[in-house]
Amino acid sequence: MHLAAHFPGVNSTTVWADPRSGSQIDFASFEHLARTAERGKFDFFFLAEGLRLREHNGRVHDLDVVGRPESLTVLNALAAVTERLGLAATVNATFNEPYELARRLATLDHLSAGRAAWNVVTSSDAFTGENFRRGGYLDRAHRYTRAAEFVATARELWDSWTPDGVSRPFAHDGPQFTVSGEFTVPRSPQGHPVVIQAGDSDEGREFAASAADVIFTRHGTLEAGRAFYADVKARLAAYDREPESLKIMPGVTVVTGDTDAEAQELAYEIRRQQVSPQNAILAAEQVWGTDLSAYDPEGPLPAFDPVPDSGITQGRVRHGDPFAIAARWRALAEAKGLSLRGTVIETTTRQSFIGSPATVAAELTAFVDGRAADGFILVPHLTPGGLDDFVDRVVPILQESGAFRSAYTGSTLRSHLGLPEPVWKG
């Protein structure tokens, strides 16, 4: 089983009102979570990134994190206070250039002795693009086209140095990029930084099958996980890849208690904190595309249809057809007698593993043994101590059963993930 730690904040998972919640920008918070993950022998530490403060109804969305330092800068600092933990940065392929980003990633790989990873994300969001004087220039249909060539170009740059340290000129001439020259950073300790792809769409799955080492996904049940796992692994053969060459790691939450019943009670309270009355109205507004501030969060869902493409929320990706989502929410609310807030609580949760440490360990293992995942990216609800309990109570059980490592056996992130060093293609 592979495990990674996601630094919380860029979502509605984090419970900022909890008195144990700390700063999302103080380096001590990043260091605490990273040291906890390394103590638990995790594969890597994962940082999300937002390139513009999200807005809702024309105002900065104050229910989400406001302010987040640049990912690679943070990870370069963490390289100095960790020894084996992989360091994964989310960096946008739409608003960066191959040479500059390949150089920054290769630098992190050298400074960390082979522990760097790049989570490739894309954007067709004109709102975010305004920060780069490029708003709206990239059609949504072309975002993966650019990303695929971006990754391929970065790999050409990393391969422009031979394994024995000789620099060679590079030249790339493609639809998205035309670059030539000499790369300034020698081949890194693990050949290339690990490439992660975050996405569930068909085009995202295909991109992951063609170019990624890890796919960060989400699915709600064991059956859904198995279907996703089988689909993505089956796509690899078209690119002459083996199933083991791509690790599937869904983002999950974990809540533990001394007993299963205690954990369920705690999980319920956490969800009510995450989906406050204000957050429930916000979530519904994102589906219905209109101001619902006059609605009672403990009352019924809106009876009218959503307003498509209203633009009420800026900087946040909408997942799915709003009409279909509204219909599904109404059906659930009617079947279970749920309020608007109750419906949001039921429908917006991540895949959760809830129970005693032994129960959680058994369920995580069942997902891996059942070919629903190769591992998990844990998304805690507290910054920065949200993984302390998992590392102290669940990891030892996983280690005792042989489901998870008791010690690092290699020094690079590729060795943790069981990935071979890329064949040099200079």
Side-chain angles (χ1 to χ4, degrees):
M1 175 186 308
H2 300 285
L3 294 175
H6 184 290
F7 188 86
V10 187
N11 47 52
S12 58
T13 302
T14 309
V15 178
W16 298 109
D18 191 298
R20 295 169 294 173
S21 183
S23 170
Q24 86 283 0
I25 198 168
D26 191 321
F27 181 70
S29 293
F30 297 103
E31 183 177 10
H32 180 108
L33 191 69
R35 286 187 182 274
T36 300
E38 187 162 73
R39 178 164 57 84
K41 306 299 185 290
F42 279 36
D43 293 65
F44 60 90
F45 173 96
F46 183 90
L47 267 181
E49 182 171 74
L51 295 180
R52 181 164 179 173
L53 297 181
R54 293 165 175 168
E55 293 183 9
H56 183 77
N57 225 3
R59 296 181 299 175
V60 171
H61 173 34
D62 61 357
L63 298 177
D64 206 341
V65 64
V66 177
R68 169 61 67 82
E70 192 273 327
S71 295
L72 280 167
T73 305
V74 173
L75 296 183
N76 278 312
L78 288 177
V81 296
T82 55
E83 296 180 357
R84 299 291 186 91
L85 185 69
L87 303 167
T90 299
V91 187
N92 198 297
T94 305
F95 301 116
N96 283 283
E97 297 298 325
Y99 181 89
E100 190 267 346
L101 181 54
R103 186 167 178 259
R104 290 163 61 203
L105 287 163
T107 299
L108 173 61
D109 213 34
H110 277 283
L111 291 177
S112 64
R115 296 185 280 136
W118 171 25
N119 177 41
V120 183
V121 295
T122 65
S123 177
S124 60
D125 177 18
F127 172 76
T128 300
E130 290 174 0
N131 274 355
F132 298 87
R133 300 182 182 274
R134 289 176 161 177
Y137 89 101
L138 181 65
D139 187 89
R140 181 178 178 85
H142 297 155
R143 58 185 184 141
Y144 279 116
T145 301
R146 176 183 170 92
E149 188 175 334
F150 196 123
V151 173
T153 305
R155 284 175 167 153
E156 289 176 30
L157 299 177
W158 294 328
D159 276 342
S160 67
W161 281 73
T162 67
D164 57 355
V166 177
S167 171
R168 297 185 176 184
F170 67 83
H172 175 93
D173 186 7
Q176 300 291 325
F177 309 105
T178 300
V179 293
S180 62
E182 290 198 17
F183 196 54
T184 60
V185 186
R187 188 172 177 84
S188 66
Q190 58 178 347
H192 298 169
V194 169
V195 171
I196 304 171
Q197 154 66 10
D200 289 333
S201 67
D202 185 73
E203 58 187 354
R205 297 181 191 200
E206 198 66 26
F207 177 52
S210 68
D213 301 305
V214 177
I215 182 167
F216 175 32
T217 181
R218 59 180 184 175
H219 42 68
T221 65
L222 180 63
E223 292 72 23
R226 283 173 171 161
F228 182 91
Y229 190 97
D231 176 68
V232 173
K233 295 283 187 174
R235 297 174 188 243
L236 294 169
Y239 301 98
D240 295 323
R241 300 182 64 188
E242 296 297 323
E244 296 76 20
S245 67
L246 176 64
K247 306 300 180 182
I248 296 176
M249 299 181 67
V252 301
T253 61
V254 173
V255 180
T256 58
D258 290 338
T259 65
D260 291 352
E262 180 184 299
Q264 289 290 346
E265 290 179 8
L266 179 58
Y268 177 75
E269 290 305 315
I270 291 170
R271 284 301 294 148
R272 288 188 63 82
Q273 288 179 297
Q274 291 168 328
V275 185
S276 65
Q278 188 183 3
N279 241 339
I281 292 296
L282 171 82
E285 287 178 340
Q286 290 173 343
V287 174
W288 268 267
T290 191
D291 186 350
L292 300 176
S293 57
Y295 274 69
D296 179 3
E298 302 301 341
L301 292 166
F304 58 87
D305 287 335
V307 179
D309 302 320
S310 68
I312 191 172
T313 298
Q314 298 276 21
R316 180 185 290 272
V317 177
R318 294 181 69 174
H319 297 283
D321 172 23
F323 294 96
I325 295 172
R328 187 168 67 250
W329 283 21
R330 287 188 183 120
L332 179 65
E334 182 177 353
K336 294 190 174 185
L338 298 173
S339 66
L340 185 156
R341 184 183 180 197
T343 304
V344 174
I345 288 174
E346 288 247 351
T347 58
T348 60
T349 185
R350 288 178 179 271
Q351 166 65 52
S352 297
F353 294 91
I354 302 168
S356 68
T359 295
V360 168
E363 291 181 351
L364 292 171
T365 303
F367 261 69
V368 174
D369 289 347
R371 296 184 179 274
D374 293 309
F376 308 92
I377 297 177
L378 275 64
V379 185
H381 73 281
L382 284 179
T383 306
L387 288 183
D388 293 2
D389 193 59
F390 182 88
V391 168
D392 291 338
R393 304 182 70 189
V394 179
V395 166
I397 297 173
L398 293 171
Q399 291 171 330
E400 185 177 354
S401 70
F404 187 61
R405 67 172 67 89
S406 296
Y408 292 112
T409 57
S411 59
T412 68
L413 178 52
R414 287 188 178 276
S415 67
H416 303 342
L417 292 168
L419 299 170
E421 182 175 320
V423 175
W424 180 64
K425 298 179 180 178

